[in-house]
Amino acid sequence: MSHSRPNGDPTPPSAPAAERQAGTTGATREVWGTRAGFVLAAVGSAVGLGNMWRFPYLTAEYGGAAFVVLFVITLLFVGIPIMLAEFTVGRRSRLSSIGAMRAAGGNRWTVIGYLFVTAAFLILTYYSVIAGWVTRYALMGIFQGFPAETGELFGAISSGWQAVAFHICFMAAVVGVVMMGIRRGIERGVIIMMPLLFLLVIALAIWAATLPGSLAGYGFYLRPDMGALFSLDTLTAAAGQAFFSLSLGSGAMLTYASYVSKQADLPREATIISFSDFGVAFIAGLAVFPIIFAFGLQAEVGESAVGALFISLPRAFVELGAIGRLIAPLFFLALFIGALTSAFSMLEIVTAAVIDEWKISRKAAALGAGSLITVCGILPAMNTDILGVLDAIAGEFLLVVGALGIALFVGWRLDNPLDEVTSGGRQVAGSLLKGWLWVLRILVPVFLAAILLTKAGDAWDAIRGLLLGS
Ligand code: PHE
């Protein structure tokens, strides 16, 4: 690996810590107040709509336990290594995505930073629309309960001005918190919200176990279809889910790590964060499927992921009567917290990049970026086909490109990545760390390139479908 650095590199790795802390703004960069603050913020970014619904749904669709096994394997060999790669670049440079890539790799690599910011921007435009639906359902669950015709309800609120209104309210909450900054905004928010989310999901799963359909529900969810273990489709689905769910390839983990102290043990934190994300996803499935099965609604689940979440599940809550009135708000509250804390990280990616690049205040950056995202989000809020295309492009395709970029960068270009990883004290076995580098250099790129080919086809089909109106 070359140790020469390009001309004009503003922050050589030997720069004193204080100097690096100063970032490009000249002011001292914020640091997380506590270890739990950083870990919970990263778990908050990871745990979101992706786990609470998409994971159980994909598991049921792609071979049950076989999917879970493949997911854990991708998590170990691809997810955790890439998360650690993002952490390494973020903490080394103490800058957000664009500046970090420029500082650590020179101008050529900056393109990955721009890619991260673009992906985060695009994902937030439609993520916030879905979060708006969740907000609507949570409020409805609390104050009036769901009508019997949940399909009509979803049709009425999922696109059009109602969807726009809730999207704007959701974005306002996200902007408000990000404007307050890392410690006073995001950290304070996640320290209260994440434990509540864990409690809610665990309580829901325990309650669901008492339902008459629980065993059949678990069977449907985890039925091991071992043929799926060796299918490329299952592997691609598991990998795509791992990137989205762990918030990889968009610079979320890089940006959050730019506020982490040098003492933090990055490999340990990456492992804890990834398994917490998986745990919540898995337990969410244990909560959801018994509910669906108690009312024989499984046939609908096969039709559409979104439909099952926003139509079948609320219908089950209606049929549950009084207990459903109690459980529904808790379920949608958990989903709301997951979406909100994920959205913090997406807006923070864009905001931090704007602050570092343009040297403007956090308040102005968060408000400006948030407003622009809110305006762009009106499109997916008016039209769910556009929402689907944005998801195929940004949520599925760009994240994989971003992950590939950061893996190649840390594997082949970054100077002494192992020094950064081990700066936190407790030493990981050297061979494990070398193994990590080789995973980034060879295994991850080959694997991701294969996945990209499939995803590129999917994204292209989605765009063509929208343009041709089919
Ligand atoms: N991980 C989040 C979820 O599962 C989504 C996300 C993607 C958040 C990319 C940040 C960046 O819902």
Side-chain angles (χ1 to χ4, degrees), residues 328-343:
L330 300 181
F331 180 83
F332 283 102
L333 178 64
L335 205 57
F336 174 77
I337 295 176
L340 188 64
T341 53
S342 295

Side-chain angles (χ1 to χ4, degrees), residues 45-51 123 127 244-247 250 252 342 345-346:
S45 169
V47 172
L49 300 173
N51 319 48
I123 295 176
Y127 198 87
F244 189 81
S245 186
L246 294 173
S247 309
S250 64
S342 295
S345 71
M346 291 182 220

